[in-house]
Amino acid sequence: MRKSYLIEKEFPWARPYPIDASRLPPNYTGLDSKKVFEIFKSKWKPLEKNKFEKNEEFKQRIKNLIIDASPISSNVDYAFLLEFHPEYDANTERYIINKFCDNGILSTNESNLIICRTTTAESNRRNYVASNAFGATTNVTEVYTKDIGIAFSKNSTFANRLFTKEGKINGYYFSDNFPLSIEKAKYLQKYRIGVLFIGRFINANIAYNSSTITPTINKPYSSLTEIYAPSFEPKQVVYYVIQTGEILSKKVF
């Protein structure tokens, strides 16, 4: 109890989610995902695969590896605020949430993960002159983005209930809704509705994904977007009013 109090006092951003609360503190946004990523990244070295190590040997080595990720604990629940934006549908009197999330891959080459973004940690833009084999030149805009998120198994009950895969897309769609009267929705127009994933950390692994756009003479734009996501095990989704902390709906899996 004393240790927990000292950790929360020194690292207020790492406070566990108040799991039994009927209302959240005003302007509550859960864990600071940038700081969580930095902590996990600092513990990453033992989880890297040696180039002389076979896949099965690596999996066995890290299977029971204990990583101290203080002040983060694997024994309490935490919340992450997702980059989801609920839209109100007056016909059904419901808030509708549809959001794309990426596939994720671990250093073990396991790819049965979903990554959902929580924030952007870095974004840079530069311009340069490029030419092709025929001597044509153009000004190219290059953008680099580093996003942070959370990664979880696509085979979990949470994912099976809330995520769908459509066609051949390289990822999954979060799809959910919750009821709210038109009168209440009108009142909440001036507020932001937040979406929290509540759960626990299962290990110190970090999932990864990236996407690129290659420039051409006709489309002189290039980009690299990388996303890093600590492994998480969500068990609950909470919809709430960020400014006031009022919980509008929650679902436990």
Side-chain angles (χ1 to χ4, degrees):
M1 181 75 173
R2 178 68 179 167
K3 182 179 179 181
S4 175
Y5 169 77
L6 291 175
I7 288 176
E8 288 185 30
K9 186 176 181 180
E10 186 175 355
F11 304 98
W13 60 267
R15 288 194 180 101
Y17 179 75
I19 201 70
D20 295 321
S22 58
R23 191 182 191 94
L24 297 173
N27 299 308
Y28 179 81
T29 55
L31 277 183
D32 185 323
S33 52
K34 293 180 185 177
K35 291 181 178 177
V36 171
F37 170 70
E38 291 302 320
I39 288 174
F40 275 56
K41 188 175 71 171
S42 69
K43 311 294 182 179
W44 177 249
K45 198 66 180 176
L47 295 169
E48 289 183 328
K49 183 179 178 297
N50 187 296
K51 64 180 179 180
F52 299 109
E53 195 173 27
K54 294 181 179 179
N55 286 341
E56 286 305 315
E57 291 174 337
F58 176 63
K59 290 179 183 179
Q60 191 61 38
R61 177 169 67 82
I62 69 171
K63 184 177 181 180
N64 298 312
L65 185 65
I66 298 175
I67 300 292
D68 179 13
S70 299
I72 301 299
S73 170
S74 61
N75 299 317
V76 296
D77 294 288
Y78 293 102
F80 281 97
L81 178 64
L82 280 298
E83 288 188 337
F84 294 179
H85 305 287
E87 297 286 342
Y88 191 71
D89 180 10
N91 292 318
T92 60
E93 295 192 29
R94 286 178 173 271
Y95 268 102
I96 310 295
I97 310 96
N98 288 296
K99 182 68 175 180
F100 177 77
C101 291
D102 293 290
N103 283 324
I105 188 168
L106 297 174
S107 56
T108 56
N109 289 324
E110 295 178 57
S111 57
N112 63 331
L113 299 171
I114 297 173
I115 294 180
C116 289
R117 286 171 170 78
T118 54
T119 190
T120 295
E122 183 180 344
S123 183
N124 299 311
R125 176 187 294 264
R126 75 182 182 102
N127 295 305
Y128 65 93
V129 178
S131 61
N132 63 13
F134 302 100
T137 62
T138 187
N139 291 315
V140 176
T141 298
E142 180 183 74
V143 176
Y144 170 74
T145 304
K146 177 181 176 181
D147 289 331
I148 307 298
I150 52 174
F152 47 92
S153 171
K154 63 180 68 171
N155 298 319
S156 64
T157 301
F158 183 86
N160 287 333
R161 294 284 296 275
L162 294 173
F163 287 82
T164 59
K165 189 173 181 65
E166 299 178 10
K168 297 181 179 180
I169 60 171
N170 186 30
Y172 286 77
Y173 276 97
F174 176 87
S175 182
D176 197 25
N177 64 80
F178 64 92
L180 200 73
S181 69
I182 291 178
E183 290 73 20
K184 180 73 171 180
K186 284 182 179 179
Y187 172 74
L188 292 178
Q189 285 185 92
K190 57 185 177 181
Y191 297 106
R192 181 184 167 196
I193 308 301
V195 181
L196 294 171
F197 282 6
I198 318 299
R200 297 189 176 190
F201 291 99
I202 52 178
N203 55 50
N205 239 324
I206 298 175
Y208 173 81
N209 200 342
S210 66
S211 61
T212 60
I213 296 176
T214 302
T216 65
I217 291 295
N218 295 327
K219 293 182 179 180
Y221 174 85
S222 72
S223 72
L224 169 61
T225 300
E226 297 183 301
I227 181 168
Y228 297 87
S231 297
F232 195 62
E233 189 174 29
K235 295 289 187 181
Q236 184 177 159
V237 58
V238 171
Y239 303 107
Y240 73 117
V241 183
I242 293 179
Q243 290 90 333
T244 66
E246 179 186 1
I247 295 176
L248 303 173
S249 179
K250 65 179 179 180
K251 299 177 182 179
V252 181
F253 302 94

